[in-house]
Amino acid sequence: MTETIGKVTLNLDKYPGEDYYCDGSVEDEILEIVKKYSTVEYDRIIAERKSWPILYHLSALRENIVDFLPIKKTDKVLEVGSGCGAITGALSRKAGSVTCVDLSKKRSLINAYRHSESENVTIHIGNFTDVEPDLPADYDYICLIGVFEYGQAYIGGSTPYEDFLKILQKHLAPGGRIVIAIENKYGLKYFAGCKEDHLGDWFSGIENYPNGGVVRTFSRKKLEKIFDACSVGERSFYYPYPDYKFMTTVYSDAYLPGRGELSNNLRNFDRDRMLLFDEKSAFDGIVEEGLFSVFSNSYMAIIGKPLELNYARYSNDRAEEFRIRTEILTDTEGKKTVRKYPLTTEAEAHVRHMAEAYEKLKKRYAGSRLDVNVCHPGEEDGIPYAEFEFVSGRPLSELMDECLDRQDIEGFHSLFAEYLERVGFGEEVPVADFDLIFANILVDGDHWTLIDYEWTFDRVIDTKALAFRAIYCYVLENERRNALELDRILDRLDITENEARQYREQEREFQKYVTGQKLSMGEIRNLLGGEIYKPTEWIGRFRQSEGELRVQIYEDKGQGFSEEKSYFPENVYVAEKEAEFTVKFDGNVHYLRLDPAMCSCICKIRELSMNGQPVPLQDKKVFTTNGKILKSEEGADHPSVIFATEDPNMTIRADVLNRQAENTLSVKMEIVQIPQAMAKDMMGVEKKGAAAWVFGQR
């Protein structure tokens, strides 16, 4: 028995007569939406309804997970578990035919109505095991997006996932591919405090599902064991980020993320979450250690011939005329290229503009020390693209971060000075790339290459305006960059407060220009109202302040600081909040670290001297801290230091001072515990001045 909705065919031969799972009345709401409204109105409806199911089922970003697959108009696609059709539309636009299988009639009706103009879509309603025997064995792609984890429910038995895959293999055409998108049970987001996607509790996947249930997600190693048991030969893994549901970027083993790239981590929308640590910083360390494939939040496993594609990034959070996809591809000879494709018809002009921008920028920077990445226009199946040479090197932003990490402030400013010299060449020419941020410049030795210039305009833009925006974006991307000396940068640029105000307004107007009326995913998350809980703050509320105001000393004799060799000096406090003590250490100590407390606090330094000589607190080669030093009316030797962290510390480089065989550090300071939020506010007030100019805090 079949029904038709528009041009879509629904096959009910195996439908059991009732839906065995349902999200409740919200599915009726979604059905009414897809009947009444066109696809272009979904973004507005998502913002108005503020509903997780509506976002999940209707967001266009759901299609990203299959959009980059090289499906051709001659290909046949099988989509198992098609649900409300979140990816069916993308498949139907790419393929010759799409066969969907889903157990729910209500969801299949939603799918059919929203894609009613797709004459190449057939939806089989019923249990997969009932429908499967009637399916042909010539599918070029079989897609399981968020489905493989339900194998036990679909198939049953002692080896449900292996049996599921073996059944699917029977329906694959020679040279075809099976595509599986699934959460990683050891994804970093779960360690950081996101609830498990299916069970809705904390750490159940990490704890190996102690309470049972039929849903299972896997590590990459476990997936590969399942594939091996099914005699799978060629397979490749991709890493959708932040996860496969609302993917904005996909990485591969041929192109893994670099430091600083993984910053959009608060992307759970359906539930409250804890925030146990900063996922961006954790990802930076994971990337540096080569462990990203272990802790990626999701996997996309492709069984069959590997793709030419190494990487794709989606810019969906934009107005229709600017939505694009960026790809890195490797051809059969191993040559890499970068391509940018329009995601909408309206964005085709924007992509064509990139080749024109290249020619103009090449002329402006001819004879300079800034290369412009070569761009060639192209066309594929009637769709224009811009092709760029793949350039090796490291982002300038990454080099700057390394300078800040090792407290090489002069190194940072040297890079910034070179940036100004190179990008300012030909400033009087009426053509400029407005997006000349540090991340868009790759550095390879003495070669600096501008790699992304889609926002090039035919007008003169002052170099200091471009540099102001570069600093603005750089600092906002990462809290740790707040340590930057903005006064020195603004002095270098000779920017007045009025100019800074104009630049900020210019940035707001530019963002409106790029995004139109579309809300970002971060803004949508805020609309849905999911809470973010920080247990470390709860702990601070219940700790006794007396236990927190303990001083701890670390010594570095060439092997770094270690907890094992640290100690707590006794009888530190001579009165409430007044610490007065001495630290004895030998001549082998290079660095001495003093932690004034184990909580956020403010310290007034009355004395800090080594062998009777004051420690020069303003000399960053000698004295460093993870707090904010406030100017004091008593002079540079008696400042206050604010710490908005539970691990406040001050480090003194003893080997450049009057170090002797036996040494004494004399310390007198007032230490007052304050709430972390208050400490952050106080540090923000202190930033008034240069930071206020940059971020508009005045």
Side-chain angles (χ1 to χ4, degrees), residues 135-162:
L135 298 175
D138 60 348
Y139 289 106
D140 300 287
Y141 284 86
I142 299 176
C143 295
L144 293 88
I145 310 301
V147 172
F148 191 65
E149 56 264 45
Y150 293 96
Q152 190 170 329
Y154 274 115
I155 307 300
S158 60
T159 55
Y161 306 101
E162 292 83 352

Side-chain angles (χ1 to χ4, degrees), residues 535-577:
T536 51
E537 293 183 359
W538 305 342
I539 293 170
R541 295 170 191 165
F542 294 106
R543 284 175 172 171
Q544 295 295 319
S545 62
E546 290 81 3
E548 294 302 297
L549 293 175
R550 291 196 299 166
V551 175
Q552 189 171 9
I553 304 297
Y554 298 79
E555 296 179 356
D556 175 8
K557 296 183 178 182
Q559 288 79 41
F561 298 123
S562 69
E563 288 291 334
E564 293 80 4
K565 296 181 180 180
S566 68
Y567 63 93
F568 298 91
E570 298 180 355
N571 302 319
V572 165
Y573 284 92
V574 296
E576 184 181 0
K577 302 175 185 176

Side-chain angles (χ1 to χ4, degrees), residues 119-137:
E119 59 185 359
N120 60 346
V121 174
T122 300
I123 305 174
H124 291 263
I125 305 173
N127 194 305
F128 175 73
T129 54
D130 297 329
V131 174
E132 176 268 324
D134 296 335
L135 298 175

Side-chain angles (χ1 to χ4, degrees), residues 458-524:
D458 293 332
R459 66 172 186 264
V460 172
I461 301 178
D462 290 344
T463 300
K464 65 180 181 180
L466 299 177
F468 179 93
R469 183 173 188 274
I471 288 291
Y472 183 91
C473 295
Y474 177 74
V475 175
L476 285 181
E477 284 173 358
N478 191 330
E479 262 187 23
R480 291 188 298 178
R481 295 167 176 167
N482 286 333
L484 200 57
E485 296 179 357
L486 293 173
D487 292 288
R488 182 171 172 181
I489 290 172
L490 294 181
D491 287 345
R492 174 68 182 259
L493 296 177
D494 193 25
I495 290 176
T496 66
E497 184 172 358
N498 185 54
E499 285 175 320
R501 187 182 302 110
Q502 292 175 359
Y503 294 155
R504 291 195 305 272
E505 180 59 31
Q506 183 173 261
E507 177 64 16
R508 285 190 287 270
E509 292 300 318
F510 176 66
Q511 293 302 326
K512 289 181 184 178
Y513 171 70
V514 173
T515 61
Q517 300 301 313
K518 184 173 175 60
L519 295 179
S520 70
M521 293 302 284
E523 291 171 319
I524 290 173

Side-chain angles (χ1 to χ4, degrees), residues 76-116:
K76 292 179 63 175
V77 175
L78 171 63
E79 182 189 0
V80 180
S82 50
C84 296
I87 69 165
T88 305
L91 294 174
S92 69
R93 291 192 297 273
K94 296 171 75 70
S97 68
V98 180
T99 302
C100 301
V101 180
D102 198 84
L103 184 61
S104 166
K105 183 177 180 181
K106 178 71 67 65
R107 292 189 175 193
S108 296
L109 287 172
I110 293 170
N111 190 355
Y113 274 106
R114 71 190 291 186
H115 303 120
S116 58

Side-chain angles (χ1 to χ4, degrees), residues 337-522:
T337 55
V338 179
R339 285 186 180 180
K340 293 181 182 289
Y341 290 91
L343 293 175
T344 62
T345 302
E346 294 86 345
E348 291 182 3
H350 183 62
V351 170
R352 290 191 179 96
H353 165 73
M354 295 178 193
E356 300 171 6
Y358 164 67
E359 295 297 336
K360 294 175 181 178
L361 289 171
K362 182 176 70 171
K363 290 182 180 178
R364 168 177 168 170
Y365 287 107
S368 76
R369 297 171 64 224
L370 180 68
D371 297 328
V372 181
N373 192 17
V374 177
C375 176
H376 301 290
E379 190 170 294
E380 185 177 289
D381 297 328
I383 298 174
Y385 63 80
E387 183 168 290
F388 301 81
E389 292 185 355
F390 183 83
V391 179
S392 61
R394 300 177 64 196
L396 177 58
S397 55
E398 189 173 307
L399 299 178
M400 289 176 155
D401 281 345
E402 289 183 357
C403 288
L404 294 181
D405 286 348
R406 61 177 182 264
Q407 299 181 347
D408 180 9
I409 303 303
E410 294 308 315
F412 177 94
H413 285 283
S414 177
L415 288 172
F416 183 62
E418 192 163 358
Y419 165 87
L420 292 175
E421 185 268 324
R422 295 191 188 226
V423 305
F425 187 91
E427 182 181 43
E428 70 286 352
V429 178
V431 59
D433 172 22
F434 187 64
D435 197 28
L436 253 167
I437 59 175
F438 306 138
N440 283 341
I441 296 175
L442 288 187
V443 179
D444 185 12
D446 191 48
H447 294 284
W448 289 38
T449 305
L450 175 60
I451 59 169
D452 191 348
Y453 41 82
E454 63 174 307
W455 304 108
T456 296
F457 300 102
D458 293 332
R459 66 172 186 264
V460 172
I461 301 178
D462 290 344
T463 300
K464 65 180 181 180
L466 299 177
F468 179 93
R469 183 173 188 274
I471 288 291
Y472 183 91
C473 295
Y474 177 74
V475 175
L476 285 181
E477 284 173 358
N478 191 330
E479 262 187 23
R480 291 188 298 178
R481 295 167 176 167
N482 286 333
L484 200 57
E485 296 179 357
L486 293 173
D487 292 288
R488 182 171 172 181
I489 290 172
L490 294 181
D491 287 345
R492 174 68 182 259
L493 296 177
D494 193 25
I495 290 176
T496 66
E497 184 172 358
N498 185 54
E499 285 175 320
R501 187 182 302 110
Q502 292 175 359
Y503 294 155
R504 291 195 305 272
E505 180 59 31
Q506 183 173 261
E507 177 64 16
R508 285 190 287 270
E509 292 300 318
F510 176 66
Q511 293 302 326
K512 289 181 184 178
Y513 171 70
V514 173
T515 61
Q517 300 301 313
K518 184 173 175 60
L519 295 179
S520 70
M521 293 302 284

